[in-house]
Coordinates of all heavy atoms in Angstrom, one line a residue:
Chain A
D230 N 10.8 -15.7 4.0 CA 11.3 -14.4 4.4 C 10.2 -13.4 4.6 O 9.0 -13.8 4.6 CB 12.3 -13.8 3.4 CG 11.7 -13.8 2.0 OD1 10.5 -13.9 1.8 OD2 12.5 -13.8 1.0
K231 N 10.4 -12.2 4.9 CA 9.4 -11.2 5.2 C 8.4 -11.0 4.0 O 7.2 -10.9 4.2 CB 10.0 -9.9 5.6 CG 8.9 -9.0 6.2 CD 9.4 -7.6 6.6 CE 8.3 -6.8 7.2 NZ 8.7 -5.5 7.7
R232 N 9.0 -11.0 2.8 CA 8.1 -10.8 1.6 C 7.1 -11.9 1.6 O 5.9 -11.7 1.2 CB 9.0 -10.9 0.3 CG 9.5 -9.5 -0.1 CD 10.4 -9.7 -1.4 NE 9.9 -10.8 -2.3 CZ 10.7 -11.8 -2.7 NH1 12.0 -11.8 -2.5 NH2 10.2 -12.7 -3.5
D233 N 7.5 -13.1 1.9 CA 6.7 -14.3 2.0 C 5.5 -14.0 2.9 O 4.3 -14.3 2.6 CB 7.5 -15.5 2.4 CG 6.8 -16.8 2.1 OD1 5.9 -16.8 1.3 OD2 7.1 -17.8 2.7
V234 N 5.8 -13.5 4.1 CA 4.8 -13.2 5.1 C 3.8 -12.2 4.5 O 2.5 -12.4 4.6 CB 5.4 -12.6 6.4 CG1 4.3 -12.2 7.4 CG2 6.3 -13.6 7.0
L235 N 4.3 -11.1 3.9 CA 3.4 -10.1 3.4 C 2.5 -10.7 2.3 O 1.3 -10.4 2.2 CB 4.2 -9.0 2.8 CG 4.8 -8.0 3.8 CD1 5.7 -7.0 3.1 CD2 3.7 -7.3 4.6
T236 N 3.1 -11.6 1.4 CA 2.3 -12.2 0.4 C 1.2 -13.1 0.9 O 0.1 -13.1 0.4 CB 3.2 -13.0 -0.5 OG1 4.3 -12.2 -1.0 CG2 2.5 -13.6 -1.7
L237 N 1.5 -13.8 2.0 CA 0.5 -14.7 2.6 C -0.6 -13.8 3.3 O -1.8 -14.2 3.2 CB 1.2 -15.6 3.6 CG 2.1 -16.6 3.0 CD1 2.9 -17.3 4.1 CD2 1.3 -17.7 2.2
I238 N -0.2 -12.8 4.0 CA -1.2 -11.9 4.5 C -2.2 -11.3 3.5 O -3.4 -11.3 3.6 CB -0.6 -10.7 5.2 CG1 0.2 -11.1 6.5 CG2 -1.6 -9.7 5.7 CD1 0.9 -10.0 7.2
A239 N -1.6 -10.9 2.4 CA -2.4 -10.3 1.3 C -3.4 -11.3 0.8 O -4.6 -10.9 0.7 CB -1.5 -9.8 0.2
D240 N -3.0 -12.5 0.6 CA -4.0 -13.5 0.1 C -5.0 -13.8 1.2 O -6.2 -14.0 0.8 CB -3.2 -14.8 -0.3 CG -4.0 -15.5 -1.4 OD1 -4.2 -14.9 -2.4 OD2 -4.3 -16.7 -1.2
A241 N -4.6 -13.8 2.4 CA -5.6 -14.1 3.5 C -6.7 -13.0 3.6 O -7.8 -13.3 3.8 CB -4.9 -14.2 4.8
I242 N -6.3 -11.8 3.3 CA -7.2 -10.7 3.4 C -8.2 -10.8 2.2 O -9.4 -10.8 2.4 CB -6.5 -9.3 3.2 CG1 -5.7 -9.0 4.5 CG2 -7.5 -8.2 3.0 CD1 -4.8 -7.8 4.4
V243 N -7.7 -11.0 1.0 CA -8.6 -11.1 -0.2 C -9.5 -12.3 -0.1 O -10.6 -12.3 -0.7 CB -7.7 -11.2 -1.4 CG1 -8.6 -11.4 -2.7 CG2 -7.0 -9.9 -1.6
A244 N -9.2 -13.3 0.7 CA -10.0 -14.5 0.9 C -11.4 -14.1 1.4 O -12.4 -14.8 1.2 CB -9.4 -15.5 1.9
D245 N -11.5 -13.0 2.1 CA -12.8 -12.6 2.7 C -13.7 -11.9 1.7 O -14.9 -11.5 2.1 CB -12.6 -11.7 3.9 CG -12.0 -12.5 5.1 OD1 -12.2 -13.7 5.1 OD2 -11.4 -11.8 6.0
V246 N -13.2 -11.6 0.5 CA -14.1 -11.0 -0.5 C -15.1 -12.0 -1.0 O -14.7 -13.1 -1.5 CB -13.3 -10.4 -1.7 CG1 -14.3 -9.8 -2.7 CG2 -12.3 -9.4 -1.2
P247 N -16.4 -11.8 -0.8 CA -17.4 -12.8 -1.2 C -17.4 -12.9 -2.7 O -17.2 -12.0 -3.5 CB -18.7 -12.2 -0.7 CG -18.5 -10.7 -0.6 CD -17.1 -10.6 -0.2
R248 N -17.8 -14.1 -3.2 CA -17.8 -14.4 -4.6 C -19.1 -13.7 -5.2 O -20.1 -13.6 -4.5 CB -17.8 -15.9 -4.9 CG -16.5 -16.5 -4.3 CD -16.2 -17.8 -4.9 NE -16.1 -17.7 -6.3 CZ -16.0 -18.7 -7.1 NH1 -16.1 -20.0 -6.6 NH2 -15.9 -18.6 -8.4
P249 N -19.0 -13.3 -6.4 CA -20.2 -12.6 -7.0 C -21.4 -13.5 -7.1 O -21.2 -14.7 -7.4 CB -19.6 -12.1 -8.4 CG -18.4 -12.9 -8.6 CD -17.8 -13.3 -7.3
D250 N -22.5 -12.9 -7.0 CA -23.8 -13.6 -7.1 C -24.1 -13.8 -8.6 O -24.1 -12.8 -9.4 CB -24.9 -12.7 -6.5 CG -26.2 -13.4 -6.5 OD1 -26.4 -14.3 -7.4 OD2 -27.1 -13.1 -5.7
A251 N -24.2 -15.0 -9.0 CA -24.4 -15.3 -10.5 C -25.7 -14.8 -11.1 O -25.8 -14.8 -12.3 CB -24.3 -16.8 -10.7
R252 N -26.6 -14.5 -10.2 CA -27.9 -14.0 -10.8 C -27.9 -12.5 -11.2 O -28.8 -12.1 -11.9 CB -29.0 -14.2 -9.7 CG -29.3 -15.7 -9.4 CD -30.1 -15.8 -8.1 NE -29.4 -15.1 -7.0 CZ -29.9 -15.0 -5.8 NH1 -31.0 -15.7 -5.4 NH2 -29.2 -14.4 -4.8
L253 N -26.8 -11.8 -10.8 CA -26.7 -10.4 -11.1 C -26.3 -10.2 -12.6 O -25.6 -11.1 -13.2 CB -25.8 -9.7 -10.2 CG -26.1 -9.7 -8.7 CD1 -24.9 -9.1 -7.9 CD2 -27.4 -9.1 -8.4
S254 N -26.7 -9.1 -13.1 CA -26.1 -8.7 -14.4 C -24.6 -8.4 -14.3 O -24.1 -8.3 -13.2 CB -26.8 -7.4 -14.9 OG -26.4 -6.3 -14.1
W255 N -23.9 -8.4 -15.4 CA -22.5 -8.2 -15.3 C -22.2 -6.9 -14.6 O -21.2 -6.8 -13.8 CB -21.9 -8.2 -16.7 CG -22.2 -7.1 -17.6 CD1 -23.2 -7.0 -18.5 CD2 -21.4 -5.8 -17.7 NE1 -23.1 -5.7 -19.1 CE2 -22.1 -5.0 -18.6 CE3 -20.3 -5.3 -17.0 CZ2 -21.7 -3.7 -18.9 CZ3 -19.9 -4.0 -17.3 CH2 -20.6 -3.2 -18.3
R256 N -23.0 -5.9 -14.9 CA -22.7 -4.6 -14.3 C -22.9 -4.6 -12.8 O -22.1 -4.1 -12.0 CB -23.6 -3.5 -15.0 CG -23.3 -2.2 -14.4 CD -23.9 -1.1 -15.2 NE -23.6 0.2 -14.5 CZ -23.2 1.3 -15.0 NH1 -23.3 1.4 -16.3 NH2 -22.9 2.4 -14.3
E257 N -24.1 -5.2 -12.4 CA -24.3 -5.3 -10.9 C -23.3 -6.1 -10.2 O -22.9 -5.8 -9.1 CB -25.7 -5.8 -10.7 CG -26.9 -5.0 -11.2 CD -28.2 -5.7 -11.2 OE1 -28.2 -6.9 -11.5 OE2 -29.2 -5.1 -11.0
A258 N -22.9 -7.2 -10.9 CA -21.9 -8.1 -10.3 C -20.6 -7.4 -10.1 O -19.9 -7.5 -9.0 CB -21.7 -9.3 -11.2
L259 N -20.2 -6.6 -11.1 CA -18.9 -5.9 -11.0 C -19.0 -4.8 -9.9 O -18.0 -4.6 -9.2 CB -18.6 -5.3 -12.4 CG -17.2 -5.5 -13.0 CD1 -16.7 -6.9 -12.8 CD2 -17.2 -5.1 -14.5
K260 N -20.1 -4.1 -9.9 CA -20.2 -3.1 -8.9 C -20.2 -3.6 -7.5 O -19.5 -3.1 -6.6 CB -21.5 -2.3 -9.2 CG -21.8 -1.2 -8.1 CD -22.7 -0.1 -8.6 CE -22.7 1.0 -7.6 NZ -23.4 2.2 -8.1
S261 N -20.9 -4.7 -7.3 CA -21.0 -5.2 -5.9 C -19.6 -5.8 -5.5 O -19.2 -5.7 -4.4 CB -22.1 -6.2 -5.7 OG -21.8 -7.5 -6.0
T262 N -19.0 -6.4 -6.5 CA -17.6 -7.0 -6.2 C -16.7 -5.8 -5.8 O -15.9 -6.0 -4.8 CB -17.1 -7.7 -7.4 OG1 -17.9 -8.8 -7.7 CG2 -15.7 -8.2 -7.1
A263 N -16.7 -4.7 -6.5 CA -15.9 -3.6 -6.2 C -16.1 -3.1 -4.8 O -15.2 -2.8 -4.0 CB -16.1 -2.5 -7.2
I264 N -17.4 -3.0 -4.5 CA -17.8 -2.4 -3.1 C -17.3 -3.4 -2.0 O -16.8 -2.9 -1.0 CB -19.3 -2.2 -3.1 CG1 -19.7 -1.0 -4.0 CG2 -19.8 -2.0 -1.7 CD1 -21.1 -0.8 -4.2
E265 N -17.5 -4.7 -2.2 CA -17.1 -5.7 -1.2 C -15.6 -5.7 -1.1 O -15.1 -5.8 0.0 CB -17.7 -7.0 -1.6 CG -19.2 -7.2 -1.5 CD -19.6 -7.0 -0.1 OE1 -19.1 -7.6 0.8 OE2 -20.6 -6.2 0.1
Y266 N -15.0 -5.6 -2.2 CA -13.5 -5.7 -2.2 C -13.0 -4.5 -1.4 O -12.1 -4.7 -0.5 CB -13.0 -5.6 -3.7 CG -11.6 -5.8 -4.0 CD1 -10.7 -6.3 -3.0 CD2 -11.0 -5.7 -5.3 CE1 -9.4 -6.5 -3.2 CE2 -9.7 -5.9 -5.5 CZ -8.9 -6.3 -4.5 OH -7.6 -6.6 -4.8
R267 N -13.5 -3.3 -1.7 CA -13.0 -2.1 -0.9 C -13.4 -2.3 0.6 O -12.5 -2.0 1.4 CB -13.7 -0.9 -1.5 CG -13.5 0.3 -0.6 CD -13.9 1.6 -1.3 NE -13.9 2.8 -0.4 CZ -14.9 3.3 0.2 NH1 -16.1 2.7 0.0 NH2 -14.8 4.3 1.0
R268 N -14.6 -2.8 0.9 CA -15.0 -3.0 2.2 C -14.0 -3.9 3.0 O -13.6 -3.6 4.1 CB -16.4 -3.5 2.3 CG -17.2 -3.2 3.6 CD -18.5 -3.9 3.6 NE -18.5 -5.3 3.1 CZ -18.1 -6.3 3.8 NH1 -17.6 -6.1 5.0 NH2 -18.1 -7.5 3.3
V269 N -13.6 -5.0 2.4 CA -12.7 -5.9 3.0 C -11.3 -5.3 3.2 O -10.7 -5.4 4.3 CB -12.6 -7.2 2.1 CG1 -11.4 -8.0 2.6 CG2 -13.9 -8.0 2.2
L270 N -10.9 -4.5 2.2 CA -9.6 -3.9 2.4 C -9.6 -2.9 3.5 O -8.7 -2.8 4.3 CB -9.2 -3.2 1.1 CG -8.9 -4.1 -0.1 CD1 -8.4 -3.3 -1.3 CD2 -7.9 -5.2 0.3
L271 N -10.7 -2.1 3.6 CA -10.8 -1.1 4.7 C -10.8 -1.8 6.1 O -10.6 -1.1 7.1 CB -12.0 -0.2 4.5 CG -11.9 0.8 3.3 CD1 -13.2 1.5 3.2 CD2 -10.7 1.7 3.5

Side-chain angles (χ1 to χ4, degrees):
Chain A
D230 53 21
K231 190 179 179 178
R232 270 181 32 231
D233 198 19
V234 177
L235 284 173
T236 306
L237 291 167
I238 291 180
D240 208 55
I242 291 173
V243 173
D245 289 338
V246 180
R248 303 200 56 192
D250 184 336
R252 291 164 308 183
L253 298 175
S254 72
W255 71 268
R256 179 166 180 145
E257 293 166 327
L259 231 41
K260 177 154 188 174
S261 87
T262 298
I264 289 171
E265 291 298 311
Y266 191 5
R267 170 166 172 264
R268 203 183 45 74
V269 167
L270 294 185
L271 289 177

